[in-house]
Amino acid sequence: MGGDTDFIKIIDYLKEAAASVRELEAEAEDALLNKDDVDIYRSKLEQKAMLIIDLESEIEDSMTGLDPTLSRRIRGGLSRFALSAERGLGLGSLFYLS
């Protein structure tokens, strides 16, 4: 597949993932502020973290057609993002996950 097509697939996937993150954040906020349910709040934030952790693997097939420099930059950014999410899960910190 061509580099441009792969790049567009990556952008589209990341847009969908961003929308999912925003939805999980809204559901978490609603659980905490309107339902006073810390368990649902934590669950939604953990789901958000897992989605972020899985981003790089989800776009891996599309990365092969990209320019190697661009691919490294994307992988690096997603890896740093995932590391932050992994730390939050590891600490069990609601503050870190939010």
Side-chain angles (χ1 to χ4, degrees):
M1 200 169 285
D4 289 345
T5 304
D6 289 334
F7 187 69
I8 290 168
K9 284 175 63 177
I10 290 168
I11 295 299
D12 288 345
Y13 179 79
L14 293 176
K15 284 180 181 178
E16 289 174 21
S20 295
V21 165
R22 286 189 298 272
E23 183 177 328
L24 287 167
E25 289 173 336
E27 291 171 359
E29 182 178 338
D30 178 62
L32 186 64
L33 299 179
N34 298 324
K35 298 174 183 163
D36 198 31
D37 193 328
V38 176
D39 292 332
I40 291 175
Y41 178 72
R42 177 181 298 280
S43 174
K44 296 297 179 179
L45 292 181
E46 288 172 349
Q47 289 174 48
K48 173 184 138 180
M50 292 305 300
L51 189 150
I52 291 168
I53 290 166
D54 291 341
L55 285 175
E56 187 176 355
S57 65
E58 290 293 326
I59 63 168
E60 187 60 38
D61 289 344
S62 298
M63 297 288 275
T64 57
L66 295 183
D67 171 77
T69 301
L70 179 58
S71 179
R72 278 192 303 275
R73 290 182 70 194
I74 292 170
R75 279 190 175 96
L78 292 177
S79 291
R80 286 187 298 278
F81 203 32
L83 181 60
S84 179
E86 288 171 352
R87 282 186 188 138
L89 283 176
L91 293 172
S93 168
L94 293 178
F95 175 76
Y96 214 112
L97 291 172
S98 65

